[in-house]
Amino acid sequence: MNILLWHVHGSWTTAFVQGPHTYLVPVTADRGPDGLGRARTFDWPDSVVEVTPEQLASTPVDVVVLQRPHEWLLAERWLGGRRPGRDLPAVYLEHNTPDGAVPRTRHPAADRDDVTLVHVTHFNRLFWDNGSTRTRVIEHGIVDPGHRYTGRLPRAAVVVNDPVRRGRYTGTDLLPALAEAAPLDVFGMRTEGLAAHLGLDEDRCRGQDLPQGLLHPAMAERRLYLHPVRWTSLGLSLLEAMHLGMPVVALATTEAVEAVPPGTGALSTRPEELARAARYYLNEPEAAAEDGSRARRAALDRYGLKRFLSDWELLLTEVRS
């Protein structure tokens, strides 16, 4: 199939484009949000093809994967009047948890009969008001980075983008207390200067933005993975850490309670319990390695790439038919 999708979520797309199709990714001269084109920091296969808006007007498309509300009209305009869901089969992929008045948050694709709404977690499907729209859950899949865990550095790895701006959503306010239990290496975009923002010594909280090729080895050197996120969809970095063989210490919020089974780390809604678990892993490297190995097996079983691609293949075939 020729599948049209915008480059919105680089990590998720990296898994999706491992399938057997041609993936048409719009590109514009300014490479803005609607025309990022191919990823520069992820390893995408040659089957990912950049197309300009002008080229799309005459390009055969079998399925459109929408990910943002404005893409309905954008796709129709760039596809020469062909309407997703009417003239072309379409799915709407929702990456995120709802925001605002959460129990009453209505999804932009609610009550439509021309699209299948796909959520990446069961938690997300539960919390969005989807109306009468057909819904499916296709859980994340991960390109396996391999069992790289050494845990040689008695520090905790945290992966988050924009921790200052996102604040309580990502648990940034919890980091000072957690840094007392374990020194933190916070990886992600706009993490530089985080220690100063939190009033922490640089040795207790270091920020660094690394490309994925360097991020995974750096994470695997840390003794544990810390996930202090209050409200976001299931972070792919959490699943990547488990694939790497890292034990996980996470807030028991959103889908984390499903992703982190017993024996693979620690889950709690009490930050002091997360601090206690972090101290335990720092002092017990063998236990950390054992729990990390179980975390890897659990992640491969539930979030493996083969299952992910198979689920999408079934849905795309159904939608196209």
Side-chain angles (χ1 to χ4, degrees), residues 38-317:
R38 287 177 57 93
R40 297 178 179 179
T41 57
F42 295 92
D43 185 17
W44 288 2
D46 293 338
S47 56
V48 181
V49 179
E50 292 184 343
V51 288
T52 66
E54 295 75 20
Q55 291 171 324
L56 270 177
S58 58
T59 299
V61 173
D62 297 300
V63 178
V64 181
V65 177
L66 304 162
Q67 300 170 80
R68 298 168 296 176
H70 75 276
E71 289 179 3
W72 292 99
L73 294 177
L74 183 65
E76 182 178 346
R77 188 167 74 247
W78 287 5
L79 287 166
R82 290 173 289 174
R83 298 167 299 170
R86 298 299 182 187
D87 304 309
L88 293 172
V91 300
Y92 191 108
L93 172 65
E94 179 54 66
H95 293 283
N96 300 315
T97 49
D99 205 352
V102 171
R104 299 186 298 275
T105 306
R106 194 159 177 79
H107 196 277
D111 290 333
R112 297 190 68 123
D113 62 1
D114 58 351
V115 71
T116 298
L117 175 55
V118 181
H119 292 286
V120 296
T121 71
H122 292 276
F123 181 93
N124 288 4
R125 180 170 68 172
L126 175 68
F127 271 67
W128 277 106
D129 176 1
N130 305 301
S132 61
T133 305
R134 288 189 309 275
T135 61
R136 295 287 180 84
V137 175
I138 298 183
E139 295 186 310
H140 288 300
I142 299 293
V143 178
D144 183 14
H147 193 166
R148 302 190 187 185
Y149 180 72
T150 66
R152 68 179 186 86
L153 298 177
R155 302 179 66 88
V158 182
V159 179
V160 60
N161 291 324
D162 269 336
V164 174
R165 178 182 65 81
R166 297 168 72 190
R168 288 179 56 83
Y169 280 77
T170 53
T172 305
D173 60 302
L174 303 177
L175 294 182
L178 293 169
E180 293 180 8
L184 309 177
D185 287 319
V186 184
F187 301 103
M189 293 185 291
R190 290 171 286 281
T191 54
E192 296 82 356
L194 178 61
H197 174 79
L198 296 174
L200 294 173
D201 182 83
E202 190 70 27
D203 183 60
R204 302 304 297 182
C205 181
R206 301 189 300 220
Q208 192 175 10
D209 186 6
L210 296 176
Q212 192 178 46
L214 299 178
L215 175 61
H216 288 159
M219 290 170 61
E221 288 185 321
R222 274 65 187 175
R223 186 67 50 82
L224 65 132
Y225 183 79
L226 179 63
H227 191 69
V229 178
R230 277 192 182 89
W231 187 254
T232 189
S233 192
L234 181 60
L236 287 177
S237 56
L238 170 68
L239 302 181
E240 289 169 352
M242 294 174 71
H243 273 75
L244 290 166
M246 302 182 73
V248 172
V249 175
L251 276 181
T253 57
T254 64
E255 191 78 1
V257 297
E258 291 284 335
V260 184
T264 65
L267 281 172
S268 179
T269 54
R270 294 183 287 172
E272 57 270 24
E273 283 299 307
L274 302 192
R276 185 199 61 78
R279 290 191 191 96
Y280 170 73
Y281 284 132
L282 289 190
N283 296 322
E284 300 290 343
E286 290 186 6
E290 291 172 1
D291 286 1
S293 292
R294 281 190 286 270
R296 173 172 167 78
R297 291 195 293 271
L300 285 171
D301 182 56
R302 182 160 184 171
Y303 301 103
L305 186 64
K306 183 177 179 180
R307 189 275 310 155
F308 171 79
L309 293 176
S310 176
D311 287 352
W312 270 103
E313 194 69 15
L314 288 172
L315 177 62
L316 293 170
T317 301

Side-chain angles (χ1 to χ4, degrees), residues 5-18 23-26 31 36-50 67 143 212:
L5 77 159
W6 274 263
H7 175 185
V8 173
H9 191 309
S11 295
W12 180 90
T13 307
T14 297
F16 184 69
V17 299
Q18 304 303 315
Y23 304 91
L24 306 174
V25 178
R31 289 190 177 267
L36 284 174
R38 287 177 57 93
R40 297 178 179 179
T41 57
F42 295 92
D43 185 17
W44 288 2
D46 293 338
S47 56
V48 181
V49 179
E50 292 184 343
Q67 300 170 80
V143 178
Q212 192 178 46

